[in-house]
Amino acid sequence: MSDRHNRDIDRSPAPLPDPLPVSTIDSHCHIELIAKSAPDAPEVKAVLDEAASVGIEQVVQIGYDLEQSRWSVGVAEAWIGRAVAAVALHPNEAPVVNDLEEQLREIEKLAAHPRVRGIGETGLDYFRTPEELRSKQEESFRTHIAIAKKVGKALIIHDRDAHQDILRVLRE
């Protein structure tokens, strides 16, 4: 893409949709993509206010790595009644973190937090992961399943090009 083309792209926010007819919960959001700030920052409040203006009364802020999971818990703590958290290592993170076992231990600690309502997004993603790294994804997925069972919280599954293996792991 040329520099000229990049300059011509409209980077203003999309217009808000019409309000929903009933109050709704967004079950999977990534506020950090919009509000790159502290969990309790006015920038985060603005995102939640926009969501509420169209009928989304509460969101589930999803963690995809350890740092982001901590940030998600922070959002859930700062915005009680408006946000809850889910924590995990995304399948694409599992093969590339420095110490998978240590990261999963930290995710388990976060999972026990009362503002955490789900473990995920976890699962298997074969779209970008070479075959030789997939065993780390499966190890991570199995640990997340165990964490969800231990803390009694919902499991949020990410499945990309791995349907049969997702089902196999769940059956096992």
Side-chain angles (χ1 to χ4, degrees):
M1 225 183 286
S2 71
D3 286 337
R4 182 181 179 284
H5 181 75
N6 283 333
R7 283 192 303 266
D8 293 341
I9 294 173
D10 180 7
R11 299 205 187 277
S12 60
L16 293 175
D18 292 335
L20 297 165
V22 296
S23 292
T24 302
I25 295 173
D26 181 338
S27 65
H28 187 123
C29 75
H30 290 282
I31 296 172
E32 77 284 352
L33 296 175
I34 301 166
K36 299 175 186 331
S37 56
D40 61 350
E43 201 176 15
V44 176
K45 180 182 183 305
V47 171
L48 294 171
D49 288 348
E50 280 190 349
S53 77
V54 296
I56 299 170
E57 300 298 325
Q58 191 172 51
V59 301
V60 180
Q61 170 60 36
I62 303 290
Y64 55 81
D65 64 15
L66 183 54
E67 180 183 340
Q68 195 54 41
S69 291
R70 288 179 177 139
W71 192 86
S72 296
V73 171
V75 168
E77 287 176 330
W79 304 103
I80 293 175
R82 301 185 75 185
V84 295
V87 299
L89 301 180
H90 188 280
N92 290 328
E93 293 294 315
V96 298
V97 296
N98 288 334
D99 186 344
L100 180 59
E101 288 180 14
E102 175 60 26
Q103 298 247 338
L104 289 169
R105 280 193 293 274
E106 292 298 315
I107 292 294
E108 184 172 354
K109 289 176 189 174
L110 290 172
H113 192 286
R115 300 292 303 152
V116 171
R117 301 297 163 76
I119 310 307
E121 65 188 287
T122 183
L124 302 172
D125 187 328
Y126 292 170
F127 182 71
R128 289 187 185 92
T129 304
E131 195 166 333
E132 63 272 12
L133 297 177
R134 292 178 183 175
S135 64
K136 287 290 189 187
Q137 280 191 357
E138 187 170 320
E139 175 187 344
S140 178
F141 184 33
R142 287 178 183 280
T143 301
H144 282 94
I145 293 168
I147 291 169
K149 287 180 175 183
K150 181 177 180 180
V151 298
K153 297 186 179 172
L155 185 68
I156 301 166
I157 298 174
H158 174 95
D159 174 0
R160 188 163 185 194
D161 295 345
H163 314 308
Q164 294 307 312
D165 284 344
I166 289 278
L167 293 171
R168 174 184 52 79
V169 169
L170 290 170
R171 277 191 300 269
E172 290 171 3

